[in-house]
Amino acid sequence: MTLYPASPRDISSFAKRLRNGEVVAIPTETVYGLAADATQADAVAAIYSIKERPQFNPLICHIASLRMAKQYGVFNETANKLAKEFWPGALTLVVPRKDNCKISELASAGLHSLALRCPSHPIAAEILRLAKRPLAAPSANPSGRLSPTRPEDVRRTLPNIDVLDGGYCEVGVESTIIGCLGDMAVYLRAGGISRGDIEACLGEPLTDVPTEKGDAARLAPGRLVRHYAPHVPLHINCTQVKEDMLLLGFGADAPADVADNLSETGDLCEATANLFACLHKLDLQAQAENKHIGVMPIPHHGLGEAINDRLSRAAEAVDK
Ligand code: TXA
Ligand code: MG
């Protein structure tokens, strides 16, 4: 990888590369982010692959302004108030996805909500302005490792990724995450902006993530192990189409009458990019036709591990 000095030319070339679906590391005021165009599912899949995440956690999508954020998410009064006070800055808001939201379902890990943040780092802001796309960006480190706050940390731990050098990150910890999905503002992750500052802005205390499962599902879906389960029973490791089943195929050996195929060439990155969108589609079709969903076996290496993690949770969820 190369460290780019963040001259105007480098910034504009990174913005172009992001629009072309590449994954690059960029500075933000909290930590360095591993960024990709959030509207391109295959680019988002590449983030998971590079980080070697064993699960698909939903990713934070970065936007240039509150106006841009409102193209993708629904802002209630609380969300508006917090965005106006703390954006640009180290605050992420989880809001409902808008109908026809162009951000890939993989970035939301199949949830109906979306995590949005408007960063204040001038280089991140300029890239967002030039790219004119929302950028999904988790911290630029391999899964389970420390978040990088210096470009050299990214270079050491993700040697194949090009990094735009924005110096050391001012905040140094990830953003604070607040859930704005219902009447209550929920404190989902402590981070760069203190709880006290947020409560002072709202004029009332934040709600903690409930421990009771039903409430947790409603208020903080991203914190649950199971992010998405279809409404109909889902079975894994199926190889044949049965009468009461829609089969989601994988690879070239799939039977001809599969309902859909995650990747006809058996490409795990492509399968990841298609996963949540395919499940949503088949879920609707299966409900309408009163059928179950079956999924063909997915190899357990690379991104296959994350796909199998999601599928087995979805299968378990409906069996109970
Ligand atoms: O400071 C930051 O926030 C850094 C920089 C790069 O901006 N980004 C970052 O992103 O930490 P990420 O993708 O690693 O944060 C993901 C976390 C998830 O683990 C989850 O807790 C929360 O954000 N999250 C994302 N989408 C969510 C959703 N729809 N509902 C609830 N939580 C969500
Ligand atoms: Mg992280």
Side-chain angles (χ1 to χ4, degrees):
M1 70 121 237
T2 315
L3 207 57
Y4 289 81
S7 65
R9 220 169 96 196
D10 290 316
I11 294 176
S12 104
S13 113
F14 267 60
K16 232 176 257 155
R17 291 171 64 180
L18 284 161
R19 284 177 70 92
N20 286 336
E22 276 188 58
V23 179
V24 293
I26 61 166
T28 85
E29 71 279 21
T30 56
V31 299
Y32 273 76
L34 189 62
D37 179 351
T39 65
Q40 298 184 45
D42 46 356
V44 176
I47 293 180
Y48 287 106
S49 167
I50 292 163
K51 279 185 74 86
E52 297 183 12
R53 273 204 186 187
Q55 300 175 9
F56 300 127
N57 293 324
L59 303 175
I60 294 173
C61 296
H62 299 71
I63 33 70
S65 62
L66 178 55
R67 221 177 104 207
M68 183 179 177
K70 288 183 177 176
Q71 289 174 27
Y72 305 103
V74 183
F75 280 64
N76 64 14
E77 205 186 315
T78 310
N80 266 311
K81 214 177 195 178
L82 291 174
K84 283 186 183 141
E85 175 77 17
F86 296 106
W87 280 2
L91 179 71
T92 295
L93 298 172
V94 173
V95 299
R97 285 173 72 102
K98 252 176 117 166
D99 288 343
N100 302 321
C101 174
K102 294 258 172 14
I103 287 178
S104 85
E105 304 207 38
L106 184 60
S108 289
L111 293 172
H112 296 294
S113 56
L114 196 58
L116 293 167
R117 177 164 102 82
C118 176
S120 67
H121 195 294
I123 294 172
E126 184 63 3
I127 285 184
L128 282 163
R129 196 182 67 78
L130 294 172
K132 297 189 174 62
R133 299 285 171 86
L135 299 177
S139 51
N141 52 278
S143 186
R145 303 276 288 276
L146 285 177
S147 294
T149 53
R150 307 175 303 172
E152 57 265 36
D153 296 334
V154 185
R155 178 161 55 177
R156 200 181 55 253
T157 59
L158 293 174
N160 298 320
I161 298 299
D162 283 343
V163 187
L164 197 55
D165 184 350
Y168 292 4
C169 301
E170 226 177 4
V171 178
V173 291
E174 286 93 341
S175 58
T176 303
I177 306 183
I178 304 294
C180 301
L181 295 175
D183 300 337
M184 285 176 276
V186 183
Y187 192 48
L188 295 177
R189 180 173 82 181
I193 292 177
S194 77
R195 179 174 191 147
D197 283 352
I198 292 167
E199 291 180 336
C201 166
L202 293 178
E204 59 187 28
L206 288 166
T207 302
D208 286 300
V209 177
T211 44
E212 207 272 306
K213 235 187 163 185
D215 284 346
R218 191 166 50 83
L219 295 172
R223 288 280 283 259
L224 280 190
V225 228
R226 173 164 69 88
H227 291 303
Y228 178 76
H231 296 85
V232 303
L234 180 143
H235 312 279
I236 48 179
N237 297 325
C238 301
T239 46
Q240 283 171 351
V241 178
K242 293 189 191 138
E243 211 173 283
D244 63 343
M245 186 186 278
L246 296 173
L247 186 65
L248 180 54
F250 175 83
D253 299 336
D257 51 353
V258 288
D260 210 338
N261 196 320
L262 286 170
S263 167
E264 282 176 13
T265 57
D267 176 342
L268 287 167
C269 217
E270 186 187 11
T272 297
N274 289 331
L275 179 67
F276 290 109
C278 278
L279 286 178
H280 276 297
K281 207 179 83 189
L282 287 199
D283 191 13
L284 286 177
Q285 192 184 337
Q287 286 178 74
E289 296 175 10
N290 206 9
K291 289 183 174 171
H292 294 192
I293 298 174
V295 188
M296 283 183 68
I298 310 291
H300 205 65
H301 56 82
L303 284 178
E305 198 182 332
I307 297 178
N308 284 325
D309 168 79
R310 270 296 165 275
L311 288 174
S312 57
R313 284 175 206 280
E316 239 173 61
V318 271
D319 283 348
K320 275 175 198 155

